[in-house]
């Protein structure tokens, strides 16, 4: 299979390139310098030249604050970029796998969101990503739109820069010995590695559509940090941050847990518990915690 991965230098993109390469597919790893998804001509020229069977779009403008400040640019990338890819892949009769987000929901449901729940984004990022979903779903019937959440993995997130959440927490614990984390946002932490495996698995199936694709279970960021420190036997004074300690510039859903109902229905859910994925990540990152990982029982939150 010929697979084009867009956003190939990003957190998810690099894992996806690796996952397809390990299967001996022919992979075209397309960085931003090689394709501009907001530009239809750039998208068409690139994909017509490569003639892929599958296009995986991991590219997005997803720094939530930047999206709020530059709404037109966010729409150009997240909505029109998705439209451009849907048009180009339809013309090539190629499958388009497009990554979306839990931020299409407002968070008021208070229990896990299903694919059929009505979205209601509360910020520019969520609105532009939802528009992108609609373009993909309406323009190329050979599509998988995968909504994911709270990603971390061995490659850094380009849009956010710096360390991912587990690495940042371990770093702060070592540097300061005291860490304060919010418990006001509940998410489903998702390993980029598991998401990449999920994407590869879907290329063997034609149950096209919209799917939730996150780690199983849910937690607040505080719970996530507590689990991380327990598994790694990190000595730290962990506290819940006060409600306005880290004032947010942009509204975010306070609860954005997704149920992988569609993937389970088609028998293709590749995700395990978020706690198990975290342990796997720590084991692979060789964070000096191997003995703790082997000897400690799984913590639950
Ligand atoms: N990170 C999360 O926690 C999270 C949660 C839910 C959903 N998602 C979604 O997951 C997807 C992947 O996220 P990620 O964490 O892997 O992001 P990332 O690390 O920021 O990678 C995105 C990649 O896309 C490239 N890119 C950005 N704009 C582009 C454009 N206009 N044309 C072509 N390439 C472009 C970037 O290149 P440059 O950096 O060189 O511009 C970067 O390499 C996104 O769709 C995001 O909305 C992420």
């Amino acid at each position: 299979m010929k697979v084009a991965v867009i956003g190939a230098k990003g957190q998810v993109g690099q894992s996806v390139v690796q996952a397809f390469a390990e299967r001996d597919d022919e992979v075209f790893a397309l960085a931003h310098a090689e394709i501009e998804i907001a530009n239809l001509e750039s998208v068409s020229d690139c994909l017509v030249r490569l003639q892929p069977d599958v296009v995986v779009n991991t590219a997005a403008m997803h720094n939530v604050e930047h999206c709020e400040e530059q709404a037109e640019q966010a729409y150009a990338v997240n909505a029109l970029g998705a439209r451009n890819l849907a048009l180009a892949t339809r013309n090539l009769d190629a499958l388009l796998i497009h990554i979306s987000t839990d931020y299409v929901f407002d968070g008021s449901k208070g229990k896990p969101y299903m694919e059929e729940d009505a979205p209601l984004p509360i910020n520019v990022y969520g609105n532009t990503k939802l528009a992108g979903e609609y373009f993909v779903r309406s323009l190329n019937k050979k599509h998988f739109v995968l909504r994911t959440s709270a990603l971390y993995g061995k490659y850094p997130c380009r849009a956010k820069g710096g360390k991912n959440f587990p690495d940042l927490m371990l770093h702060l614990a070592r540097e300061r010995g005291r860490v304060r984390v919010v418990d006001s946002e509940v998410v489903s932490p998702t390993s980029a590695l598991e998401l990449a495996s999920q994407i590869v698995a879907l290329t063997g199936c034609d149950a096209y559509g919209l799917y939730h694709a996150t780690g199983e279970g849910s937690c607040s960021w505080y719970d996530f940090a507590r689990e991380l420190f327990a598994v790694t036997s990190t000595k730290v004074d962990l506290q819940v941050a006060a409600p306005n300690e880290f004032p947010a510039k942009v509204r975010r859903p306070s609860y954005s847990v997704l149920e992988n109902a569609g993937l389970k229905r088609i028998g293709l859910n590749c995700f395990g518990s978020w706690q198990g994925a975290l342990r796997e990540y720590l084991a692979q990152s060789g964070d000096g915690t191997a003995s703790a990982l082997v000897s400690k029982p799984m913590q639950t939150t």
Side-chain angles (χ1 to χ4, degrees), residues 38 71 125 133 181 269:
Y125 169 62
E133 288 187 0
V181 186
N269 181 32

Side-chain angles (χ1 to χ4, degrees), residues 6-14 30-39 42-43 57-63 73 76-78 81 98-103 125 129 146-152 155-161 190 192 195 221:
I6 300 174
K9 289 203 172 145
Q11 174 173 226
V12 175
Q14 293 190 70
L30 300 173
H32 201 166
E34 286 143 314
I35 188 168
E36 170 51 67
I37 65 167
N39 181 317
S42 167
V43 169
N57 179 36
T58 72
M61 181 167 165
H62 68 101
N63 180 306
Q73 179 63 13
V77 176
N78 296 340
H98 175 74
I99 308 302
S100 191
T101 174
D102 52 336
Y103 275 31
Y125 169 62
K129 290 293 282 188
L146 303 180
R147 288 181 183 148
T148 193
S149 158
L151 288 163
Y152 65 92
Y155 303 106
C157 175
R158 293 270 296 169
K160 293 172 187 163
T190 303
L195 179 59
W221 292 109

Side-chain angles (χ1 to χ4, degrees), residues 135-156:
F135 278 127
V136 172
R137 294 170 69 189
S138 64
L139 291 172
N140 181 355
K141 69 175 186 330
K142 285 173 70 172
H143 70 262
F144 290 104
V145 171
L146 303 180
R147 288 181 183 148
T148 193
S149 158
L151 288 163
Y152 65 92
K154 72 172 175 175
Y155 303 106

